Amino acid sequence: MSLKGFDVASYQAGMNVGEAAGDFVLVKATEGIDYTNPEFNGHAKQTLSAGKKLGVYHFIRNDSDIKKQANYFLTTVKPYIGKAMLVLDFENTAGSTIQNQAGVSLAKQWLDYVYQKTGVRAVLYTGLSCENALDWSSVVKANYGLWIAQYSNYNVVNGYQPRDLYGSLKHWKTAVMFQYTSTGRLPGWSGDLDFDVFYGDKSAWDKYAKATKMVTNKSIVQKATTKDGVWTITNEVGTFRPNQKLSIFKYPGLELTGKYYDKGESVKYFGYVSNPQAGYIYIAYRYNSKLIYYVACREIATGRALGTFE
């Protein structure tokens, strides 16, 4: 199973990407610390409104602070985090020669910082020659996926015509996605498009968009010691939807209330309660004087989520 789509930047101004053929659209969001694609929000909204899968990407540079670049990107794409695949574009451009071994280290810093802040593992985009020439072992070991680019020529490609990669990857075993031409054409748009094939179905795409770990700012709201050890609440806010029937407890302690949340219900929470001895991480979702209600959301030993986070 694979999905077909394309990626866009400011060059596609005026295009309604939602009306174009394809399963997904990847939209350039930012570059460096001071450039936002003026078409970004329009194209992102068109993509989601059309029911297509969305990707958003940052063009990294070596002439500005990496953490500032990551924060600039995250601020810009905040409404789409959890809904869109996050991507780091690793290419040379005017004033920024980053395709070297020092650049790999910068890319790893950006990827790690975004993962730390969002819990989402971004995908790295680069060309086949760059993937072959540099040592990417640190990025591969950290489990970041690869979107690889390679063009056989610059002849016009009418409609999606995915092909196999010419040559082979050196560091990654497989690529998440392949950009196989920069001169694709679709009905309704007269300009060139980058055509891509994603190696998976829509649920596989969603896994790249979703967080693979919970993220908190480590600020402690409350601490209590019970017979089951020390419980700590941290102040992260969000929504949790159980994927199975989960019991509701009272905190402190492990007292069952006799009530449950069923699969797919929406639970708005204000923090996480963690207790290694109990074997779970819980969301804390309602104050009642000093009493707090909570429900298990993840197994500590395996990291398996008991629902989805929004």
Side-chain angles (χ1 to χ4, degrees):
M1 179 66 185
S2 63
L3 303 178
K4 302 176 183 65
F6 56 93
D7 52 279
V8 294
S10 60
Y11 305 109
Q12 285 75 31
M15 180 182 186
N16 188 323
V17 298
E19 293 179 350
D23 304 304
F24 63 84
V25 183
L26 296 116
V27 186
K28 181 174 181 177
T30 53
E31 179 173 336
I33 57 173
D34 57 7
Y35 174 81
T36 298
N37 172 17
E39 306 302 313
F40 169 64
N41 275 305
H43 281 162
K45 289 175 181 177
Q46 289 170 359
T47 301
L48 293 178
S49 294
K52 300 176 186 292
K53 294 304 178 184
L54 174 66
V56 296
Y57 67 92
H58 174 77
F59 200 120
I60 192 173
R61 300 180 63 93
N62 70 348
D63 57 0
S64 54
D65 182 80
I66 295 302
K67 186 178 291 187
K68 289 182 180 179
Q69 289 191 56
N71 280 327
Y72 184 65
F73 170 72
L74 293 175
T75 298
T76 303
V77 304
K78 185 176 180 179
Y80 307 103
I81 294 174
K83 301 176 184 178
M85 180 190 295
L86 308 182
V87 178
L88 180 64
D89 190 330
F90 188 83
E91 297 179 75
N92 292 333
T93 190
S96 173
T97 302
I98 201 166
Q99 287 189 335
N100 50 48
Q101 203 58 49
V104 171
S105 178
L106 296 177
K108 177 68 161 47
Q109 289 177 41
W110 189 96
L111 292 164
D112 287 347
Y113 186 80
V114 167
Y115 182 54
Q116 174 193 337
K117 290 295 183 180
T118 66
V120 179
R121 290 192 186 277
V123 171
L124 179 100
Y125 167 90
T126 197
L128 181 64
S129 60
C130 181
E131 190 276 344
N132 281 194
L134 302 176
D135 181 1
W136 291 98
S137 56
S138 63
V139 178
V140 175
K141 288 177 182 177
N143 201 29
Y144 295 112
L146 174 68
W147 173 15
I148 198 71
Q150 182 208 47
Y151 314 143
S152 57
N153 54 53
Y154 292 93
N155 297 332
V156 170
V157 178
N158 289 302
Y160 297 114
Q161 299 180 42
R163 59 171 174 82
D164 292 333
L165 187 70
Y166 299 135
S168 59
L169 300 173
K170 181 177 180 180
H171 297 282
W172 276 268
K173 291 182 179 179
T174 57
V176 172
M177 191 158 43
F178 177 27
Q179 184 185 90
Y180 55 92
T181 183
S182 63
T183 50
R185 295 291 179 88
L186 291 175
W189 181 251
S190 60
D192 290 336
L193 294 167
D194 297 333
F195 280 171
D196 307 281
V197 56
F198 173 77
Y199 299 118
D201 58 14
K202 291 183 177 181
S203 63
W205 183 288
D206 290 342
K207 289 179 181 178
Y208 282 99
K210 297 293 184 182
T212 58
K213 72 169 184 175
M214 292 181 299
V215 179
T216 74
N217 60 13
K218 304 298 184 183
S219 177
I220 295 173
V221 175
Q222 185 175 342
K223 240 183 181 183
T225 302
T226 73
K227 63 182 179 180
D228 301 291
V230 177
W231 293 74
T232 303
I233 299 179
T234 53
N235 58 349
E236 183 76 10
V237 177
T239 300
F240 177 72
R241 296 183 186 276
N243 59 21
Q244 57 193 284
K245 191 173 184 177
L246 296 175
S247 299
I248 296 173
F249 295 84
K250 293 179 182 178
Y251 166 89
L254 288 172
E255 182 182 349
L256 274 168
T257 65
K259 297 180 180 180
Y260 303 88
Y261 275 109
D262 287 322
K263 180 179 178 180
E265 285 194 73
S266 175
V267 187
K268 291 190 180 297
Y269 60 89
F270 66 84
Y272 295 120
V273 182
S274 58
N275 181 286
Q277 288 179 246
Y280 292 95
I281 295 175
Y282 301 82
I283 54 168
Y285 70 93
R286 194 175 75 187
Y287 278 110
N288 182 5
S289 185
K290 290 187 178 180
L291 189 66
I292 297 171
Y293 293 89
Y294 58 95
V295 62
C297 64
R298 191 178 294 272
E299 294 177 343
I300 290 176
T302 65
R304 183 176 71 93
L306 305 180
T308 56
F309 299 89
E310 298 176 359

